[in-house]
Structure formats: structure tokens, C-alpha cells
Amino acid sequence: MEILTKKQAREIFKEKRKNLQDTEVGRMSEQIRDLLFSRLMMHRYSPIHIFLPIKKHKEPDTSLIISLLRKDFAPDIYISKSEEDGTLTHYLYTKNTKLTVNKWGIAEPEKAKEGLSSKVFFEKYKNEDILIFLPLLAFDKTGNRVGYGKGFYDRFLEFANEKTTCLGISFFEPIDQISDVEEHDFQLDFCVTPKRLWQFKN
């Protein structure tokens, strides 16, 4: 049984991603997109909150998912800007949104003024089915996630409601168990890999 602490999982899976070739990243990103749209009823969700990949960390290419959403589904798509106080501000992401790269290598809205706080974001869409894509380094077979350890998404999801679906994306299959899960950690509803869509809650 593969049981790891968050720290161990971060180190192992950072190294695994580091060793991926760019061609592998592209191929697996396409597999993730295709599997996601074939297994999950994407049309039911609006808004959809998605992260843009940190290319130097070889994160899954979510632009493939965004392109298909815009082409066939037309939901409200949101991305975030990381603030100095550890919170996220959320912006509608359109084809006209100009991006700039922050100190972590994340593309964010440039000179954005009309962002929503996490609390206001969930209040605005309190009657809608919301889908949140979560970046991660690793996950386990019960839906626990290991992120980068900065807590941005934990603080964001404090305001989530019962109509919120949390979806992880991973190039790698889950480990058996993350041993040091804490009470404030949010569990995934789904996680999609190149091989399958994992579902954790009924």
C-alpha cells in the first residue's frame, strides 16, 4: 500500500512531472480533455472556474479544455489572480482577456479591475451548478489532494456550497493514501487522469 505524507507526495510527484517530455505533456493533456468531455456532463455547469497551467512545472494544458468549452458549451469561464494576502480574486475569462505572468509563473488577467472575491463569486452563482478545476501534484483513492502548499484554493473553497463540484486534473494515477489529511482540507468530487475519471462522492 502506497501511503505518503503531503511533503513526500510533493517531492515525488514534482520529480515525476519534471521528467516528462513536452510531447508527453501535450499527449496526456489531450487524453485528459477527451476523457473529461466523454465522461462528465459538462453542459450542466456554468460558471466553470479553471486554472491556467504553470508551464515550467509541466502542469496539464487546460487551454485545450477551455477551447472546447468556448466552442461547444459557452459557460461563464473564470480564472483567478493570486493576491499578496493569500487569497484569490476571480475574473471572467474571455477571448479578449489580456494576460500577464506573475512571480509564480501563472498567467493572470492584466490590469484587471472587475474581479470578484471568493465570497462574492459563490454568492453570485449560489443558484447555479459550479465546476471548479483544482491544480494538484498528487491525490489519493479517497479524493484527498496535495497542492503546492500555499493554501490559495483552501481559502477559496471555504465559501463553496452544495452546488459546487471540485475536479482535479492529474497526469498520474492516485496513491493509496495521503496520511496527514487535515480537517480544513477539501476533498475532490472527481479527478481526471489520462486513463480514467475517478469519482469520490455520490
Side-chain angles (χ1 to χ4, degrees):
M1 213 173 159
E2 191 178 18
I3 302 174
L4 299 173
T5 64
K6 292 177 188 175
K7 183 180 178 182
Q8 289 170 329
R10 279 192 191 102
E11 291 172 355
I12 290 169
F13 284 89
K14 275 183 180 178
E15 191 64 24
K16 280 189 174 188
R17 283 221 304 239
K18 183 180 175 182
N19 292 329
L20 291 174
Q21 299 298 315
D22 289 344
T23 53
E24 291 179 286
V25 171
R27 175 178 53 80
M28 290 193 291
S29 294
E30 290 176 356
Q31 291 173 327
I32 285 170
R33 174 202 59 196
D34 295 345
L35 192 58
L36 176 65
F37 282 90
S38 67
R39 301 290 171 86
L40 198 63
M41 293 188 293
M42 299 294 286
H43 62 273
R44 68 174 283 192
Y45 299 105
S46 185
I48 292 177
H49 189 290
I50 195 164
F51 63 92
L52 300 180
I54 305 174
K55 293 183 179 180
K56 67 180 180 181
H57 291 166
K58 297 188 178 177
E59 289 189 328
D61 184 3
T62 53
S63 70
L64 302 176
I65 296 168
I66 293 167
S67 294
L68 194 52
L69 285 171
R70 285 177 173 161
K71 179 175 176 284
D72 293 340
F73 295 87
D76 288 346
I77 299 173
Y78 277 82
I79 58 174
S80 293
K81 182 177 175 61
S82 304
E83 305 295 352
E84 291 296 329
D85 63 358
T87 63
L88 294 174
T89 306
H90 313 281
Y91 298 89
L92 198 61
Y93 184 39
T94 71
K95 290 181 179 179
N96 297 320
T97 302
K98 292 183 179 180
L99 301 174
T100 186
V101 177
N102 70 12
K103 63 183 179 183
W104 293 294
I106 304 170
E108 297 180 328
E110 182 183 26
K111 298 179 181 177
K113 295 180 180 178
E114 299 178 6
L116 306 177
S117 69
S118 295
K119 183 177 181 180
V120 171
F121 173 82
F122 283 110
E123 284 177 351
K124 179 175 180 175
Y125 291 101
K126 63 184 178 183
N127 296 319
E128 307 296 329
D129 289 320
I130 303 170
L131 180 61
I132 310 287
F133 282 83
L134 296 176
L136 55 83
L137 284 163
F139 70 108
D140 70 15
K141 290 181 177 177
T142 55
N144 297 304
R145 155 189 174 270
V146 177
Y148 290 98
K150 294 184 174 16
F152 281 101
Y153 278 85
D154 291 324
R155 286 183 282 274
F156 173 31
L157 293 172
E158 285 177 7
F159 301 98
N161 58 41
E162 68 281 354
K163 294 175 76 67
T164 304
T165 297
C166 294
L167 172 77
I169 306 178
S170 175
F171 285 141
F172 307 105
E173 298 304 303
I175 60 174
D176 291 306
Q177 185 181 340
I178 296 164
S179 62
D180 52 347
V181 174
E182 299 174 67
E183 193 174 318
H184 63 80
D185 291 334
F186 281 85
Q187 196 175 30
L188 299 168
D189 296 288
F190 299 95
C191 192
V192 62
T193 72
K195 294 182 178 179
R196 67 174 280 188
L197 177 69
W198 291 81
Q199 182 173 356
F200 305 107
K201 300 178 186 177
N202 297 323

